[in-house]
Amino acid sequence: MALTGLGRYEDAILSFSVSVALDHDMGAVRHEMTHALHRFLAGAPAGYRARCNSLGVLAPYSLHGRRPRFLAASYPALNCSDCEDSFSGEEDFLQVPQKFSSTSLGGPAAPVVPQESTRLRSLVERIFQEVEKIKRMDVKLEDLVVNPDLVEQSDFDCVLCCRTLWQPVTTPCGHTYCWMCLDRCLDYSFACPLCMTSLADYLSSSQKAVTEVIEHSLRLLLPAEYLARQVTHHQELSELVQLWGGQVPVFVCTTGFPGVPCPLYVYEPRYRVMMRHCAEAGTREFGIVACLTKDPGNKSYAEFGTMLEIRDWILLDSGCSILTTVGVRRFHVLTRGERDGYDTAKVEYFRDQPIPADKLPDLKYLHERVRPKAWQWFNSLEAELQSEIVRAFGQMPELEEDWPSLADGPVWTWWLLAFLPLSQELKVEILATTSLEKRLRAIDKTLDRIQAAAVIKQGQDVAVATRPEELTSNSRHQANQTQQTGESLYEQERQSQHTATSSHQLPHPIFNASFLGDNREQVMESS
Amino acid sequence: MTALPRRIIKETQRLMQEPVPGISAVPDDSNARYFHVIVTGPEDSPFEGGLFKLELFLPEDYPMSAPKVRFITKIYHPNIDRLGRICLDILKDKWSPALQIRTVLLSIQALLSAPNPDDPLANDVAELWKVNEAEAIRNAKEWTRRYAMDN
């Protein structure tokens, strides 16, 4: 097929014929062979083609009678029933015997096309020769042993990891790497590591497959090395799991919350590797933490984060992927590490403190007050904004019957926190608290402040308002404000999918916290 | 920290067993990703006779990203600045994971033979190299004698 790609159709036809003779399986190459034959014949000058057509009329014998015999003769291993199939290129097939037969049999038109027929004849000759060779070889195929002294172990080394090839993949430019090694390179660049040819088309055509010839040769010629490499591969996989027994891979991006979906767009090379490791290790879980500094040289991420479970994973042609994840439990970072360029951390999981029986009535009362308030606020938002929220984080979760005893309390609190207009630092702080009461109070205060800020804002607007449309209701105005912020960010995020410059979170409304005023840090009670 | 990848072990072994002429690279005792490098100034260059110390570090995601290399010995060269940082495409956007420590150091040695003042890192040096090459070469020789020959 590579030969077809290079335009060397004669060689391609030869190779196809040989492979058919060897494999006795026409199926795999049939389409490609038809294509190559087409091209080979179409390559003839137009005048010549015209002459061939006219020859067809002049031919003194029945074409249909000769065709199967001709094909059967040139492709001995080819099943005759195949020849009877109607190829899309039937017309060209019909020309083959014409050109060939008319010249070789010394037909009336022989002197008309001497040059091209020589080419064709020599091709058929070559096919015959090759097939004859195979026939002779067939008998001795069992004796065909490669001298082990001639096999260099290093010939089968991957140039990238310097180990015996594992699941070898050969690029269209003819370079072979371990499947995983090539995958990692493609995270960084579409260029073939050895010749720098772009592999973008190859990648998007999803043609990547293990090169069986090499895989087979390895097994046959270097069985010990093959086995050793297999053992190493499995060891590495289990190491990955072991490493994560104490350490979790950490995606530095935003704060995730227990029970709440967190859609992610993964494009950075290090996180692509991380996701593959997650898949290979079979854990399907990784930690997400907020990035607290924008300075790439001095990165720091939050001490508290959430484990996310991968629910769905769409791998795009570009190598980027879209993840559907949901928060499962909270963790505290104990020590920080690194692996293959991404962050890892030793973590400790934690849950809410159990609620003492005597505190329960008060807490229930607080809860009964805050939940409707939250619901009311959500409903006061613009319909478009609401649907954005629902798309990203789902509907407001139903209240669990056993909510006071849950590890992370009622999920609706986290759902609300996911889009409440709070700073990243504050969200981390709320995530870290083990008291449901504190969390509810923080939500309560935030909602109060939003209302108050909206009232003040409206008051200012009334004072300066000249146009009637500015006199909207509190919530409506505030929703407008937040929505604008949300939309502009949304736009930015959408662009980031192409330019890969912005954050990883998928489009969802992100609120501007500015209208909370300067005291917003006091939302969390200190005691 | 995870175990040292096979690739780094192999490269280090080969650097020890079949050293590149004019280049020595020895891993640090305490950090196998940090190499002490000495490159000899190429013949027929203003750096001939000099022994230039460099440091080379293989980041966690090597070979996916390029090694970090820096001249420790002061050198008068248009593509190397006063902090020893090197302007070389294969250390930046032209890096390929198929390149190795060995090929990187050979490229650096080649850069000493063929300074490229049109893609400068040390602007003053590059300027002089373009305006008055003879004087620039004199300076380079002088710096080589002063900083790269004593030890």
Side-chain angles (χ1 to χ4, degrees):
Chain A
M1 291 178 199
L3 291 169
T4 318
L6 291 169
R8 289 168 56 188
Y9 302 114
E10 283 173 80
D11 293 334
I13 295 167
L14 180 67
S15 306
F16 287 139
S17 309
V18 171
S19 66
V20 169
L22 278 172
D23 233 10
H24 302 281
D25 175 19
M26 180 72 178
V29 297
R30 182 170 156 163
H31 177 76
E32 287 294 326
M33 190 162 170
T34 314
H35 175 70
L37 266 170
H38 248 291
R39 290 307 174 105
F40 173 66
L41 295 166
Y48 167 68
R49 280 171 66 84
R51 279 199 298 276
C52 279
N53 285 335
S54 64
L55 280 176
V57 181
L58 293 171
Y61 42 78
S62 155
L63 279 170
H64 270 272
R66 300 195 62 84
R67 182 162 61 100
R69 254 174 59 202
F70 164 77
L71 284 172
S74 26
Y75 312 104
L78 197 146
N79 192 331
C80 255
S81 66
D82 275 336
C83 307
E84 295 296 339
D85 282 355
S86 79
F87 285 86
S88 59
E90 179 125 15
E91 200 192 321
D92 278 339
F93 260 85
L94 285 173
Q95 286 177 20
V96 176
Q98 257 176 284
K99 285 182 264 177
F100 177 64
S101 310
S102 59
T103 51
S104 66
L105 295 174
V112 186
V113 286
Q115 203 186 351
E116 289 296 335
S117 69
T118 315
R119 244 182 93 199
L120 189 69
R121 188 167 11 182
S122 77
L123 172 60
V124 176
E125 269 309 309
R126 279 169 71 194
I127 295 173
F128 267 111
Q129 280 172 9
E130 289 298 322
V131 172
E132 276 307 311
K133 261 192 233 167
I134 293 163
K135 270 189 184 163
R136 283 198 300 269
M137 241 163 56
D138 249 353
V139 194
K140 298 182 285 181
L141 202 60
E142 307 303 319
D143 313 326
L144 193 72
V145 181
V146 178
N147 182 356
D149 296 338
L150 295 176
V151 179
E152 272 285 343
Q153 191 203 323
S154 61
D155 288 349
F156 287 93
D157 277 356
C158 169
V159 69
L160 299 172
C161 66
C162 293
R163 303 182 295 189
T164 307
L165 285 161
W166 180 249
Q167 296 183 309
V169 180
T170 308
T171 61
C173 45
H175 300 111
T176 306
Y177 312 98
C178 299
W179 185 297
M180 285 167 78
C181 291
L182 182 61
D183 265 359
R184 274 208 72 188
C185 290
L186 294 173
D187 285 343
Y188 290 78
S189 154
F190 286 142
C192 170
L194 279 168
C195 68
M196 305 311 254
T197 304
S198 169
L199 298 176
D201 292 344
Y202 171 62
L203 190 68
S204 62
S205 66
S206 316
Q207 279 183 343
K208 199 156 50 138
V210 169
T211 313
E212 284 179 36
V213 172
I214 297 174
E215 168 96 0
H216 208 77
S217 314
L218 255 173
R219 260 193 250 207
L220 203 70
L221 303 173
L222 297 167
E225 283 78 3
Y226 180 83
L227 201 70
R229 185 66 177 88
Q230 189 173 26
V231 170
T232 319
H233 176 73
H234 289 296
Q235 256 171 8
E236 278 171 3
L237 278 193
S238 64
E239 268 169 29
L240 216 57
V241 181
Q242 271 169 19
L243 169 81
W244 294 352
Q247 300 242 326
V248 295
V250 173
F251 196 111
V252 181
C253 175
T254 184
T255 306
F257 299 98
V260 180
C262 184
L264 293 167
Y265 179 68
V266 182
Y267 59 84
E268 260 188 78
R270 54 186 172 147
Y271 293 126
R272 293 196 211 175
V273 189
M274 190 175 110
M275 290 310 148
R276 274 205 303 282
H277 282 176
C278 281
E280 282 153 13
T283 54
R284 296 184 74 85
E285 276 190 11
F286 61 91
I288 190 157
V289 290
C291 179
L292 295 181
T293 46
K294 292 267 184 284
D295 177 16
N298 180 29
K299 60 175 180 180
S300 90
Y301 60 84
E303 229 180 297
F304 295 89
T306 306
M307 288 305 288
L308 294 180
E309 189 188 295
I310 303 171
R311 290 283 168 88
D312 193 23
W313 180 1
I314 302 165
L315 189 63
L316 305 176
D317 287 344
S318 59
C320 302
S321 48
I322 294 172
L323 294 182
T324 309
T325 67
V326 67
V328 281
R329 60 191 166 279
R330 292 176 282 166
F331 62 78
H332 177 207
V333 175
L334 300 177
T335 58
R336 294 164 193 229
E338 199 184 345
R339 188 195 165 98
D340 293 331
Y342 63 80
D343 291 291
T344 60
K346 199 172 167 57
V347 301
E348 179 182 62
Y349 299 111
F350 66 94
R351 52 160 296 157
D352 277 349
Q353 289 158 356
I355 297 151
D358 59 318
K359 288 268 180 78
L360 197 56
D362 282 350
L363 186 74
K364 277 189 171 165
Y365 177 75
L366 177 67
H367 180 269
E368 289 312 304
R369 197 165 57 79
V370 180
R371 187 176 150 97
K373 202 177 193 173
W375 178 238
Q376 205 184 349
W377 175 70
F378 173 70
N379 276 309
S380 72
L381 301 175
E382 288 270 313
E384 219 174 297
L385 189 54
Q386 279 186 36
S387 63
E388 278 292 329
I389 291 171
V390 170
R391 227 181 304 158
F393 304 110
Q395 292 282 358
M396 185 176 191
E398 293 286 324
L399 185 63
E400 304 84 352
E401 264 183 45
D402 53 347
W403 63 266
S405 62
L406 292 176
D408 302 304
V411 173
W412 75 262
T413 56
W414 300 118
W415 170 81
L416 187 74
L417 284 163
F419 56 88
L420 262 189
L422 295 169
S423 70
Q424 203 59 256
E425 285 83 356
L426 203 55
K427 287 195 180 189
V428 174
E429 215 179 309
I430 297 175
L431 186 77
T433 179
T434 55
S435 156
L436 174 58
E437 189 194 332
K438 268 193 195 173
R439 202 155 62 237
L440 285 170
R441 288 200 191 285
I443 290 170
D444 191 26
K445 270 200 173 181
T446 308
L447 292 173
D448 283 347
R449 273 169 204 276
I450 292 172
Q451 292 289 340
V455 169
I456 293 166
K457 185 87 173 92
Q458 195 198 22
Q460 287 168 354
D461 285 344
V462 170
V464 294
T466 48
R467 282 172 299 169
E469 61 264 34
E470 286 188 43
L471 295 169
T472 49
S473 74
N474 298 355
S475 54
R476 208 183 141 71
H477 184 98
Q478 168 239 318
N480 277 341
Q481 187 191 17
T482 52
Q483 195 191 359
Q484 276 161 14
T485 319
E487 265 179 359
S488 66
L489 277 168
Y490 176 66
E491 204 45 53
Q492 217 179 335
E493 294 284 342
R494 263 212 303 238
Q495 282 163 8
S496 82
Q497 291 190 18
H498 302 290
T499 58
T501 52
S502 189
S503 98
H504 291 83
Q505 244 188 320
L506 271 189
H508 73 73
I510 298 166
F511 293 78
N512 186 347
S514 63
F515 61 88
L516 277 176
D518 294 333
N519 299 327
R520 66 183 190 276
E521 271 68 34
Q522 287 169 18
V523 167
M524 277 295 281
E525 282 170 14
S526 48
S527 59
Chain B
M1 274 296 135
T2 42
L4 207 60
R6 174 88 184 138
R7 153 103 186 221
I8 297 181
I9 297 169
K10 273 234 168 158
E11 275 199 59
T12 310
Q13 278 172 356
R14 223 186 125 206
L15 279 170
M16 298 294 157
Q17 284 159 8
E18 316 158 37
V20 193
I23 295 173
S24 113
V26 184
D28 190 78
D29 289 339
S30 60
N31 185 353
R33 286 175 177 271
Y34 183 90
F35 289 76
H36 303 276
V37 179
I38 293 171
V39 172
T40 55
E43 276 176 37
D44 302 325
S45 80
F47 311 101
E48 186 174 352
L51 290 178
F52 296 90
K53 274 196 204 168
L54 294 91
E55 56 179 0
L56 182 147
F57 179 72
L58 304 176
E60 180 68 20
D61 52 355
Y62 177 82
M64 292 307 141
S65 59
K68 307 213 178 308
V69 200
R70 191 179 76 89
F71 270 85
I72 294 173
T73 307
K74 271 171 80 91
I75 182 166
Y76 194 86
H77 191 287
N79 309 106
I80 301 160
D81 73 2
R82 48 177 67 236
L83 294 173
R85 292 177 300 193
I86 306 160
C87 178
L88 187 60
D89 57 356
I90 59 155
L91 293 176
K92 308 266 160 45
D93 54 323
K94 291 286 176 351
W95 170 253
S96 157
L99 294 170
Q100 303 183 354
I101 301 173
R102 160 186 301 266
T103 44
V104 164
L105 294 178
L106 275 168
S107 298
I108 292 172
Q109 203 179 33
L111 189 68
L112 297 187
S113 294
N116 178 10
D118 294 324
D119 184 18
L121 195 62
N123 282 319
D124 51 335
V125 178
E127 199 52 43
L128 187 63
W129 217 282
K130 278 199 273 193
V131 179
N132 187 348
E133 193 175 340
E135 195 189 333
I137 289 175
R138 258 201 312 280
N139 284 349
K141 280 185 180 163
E142 171 59 22
W143 281 42
T144 304
R145 204 170 47 77
R146 202 188 307 167
Y147 302 110
M149 287 190 185
D150 281 351
N151 35 25

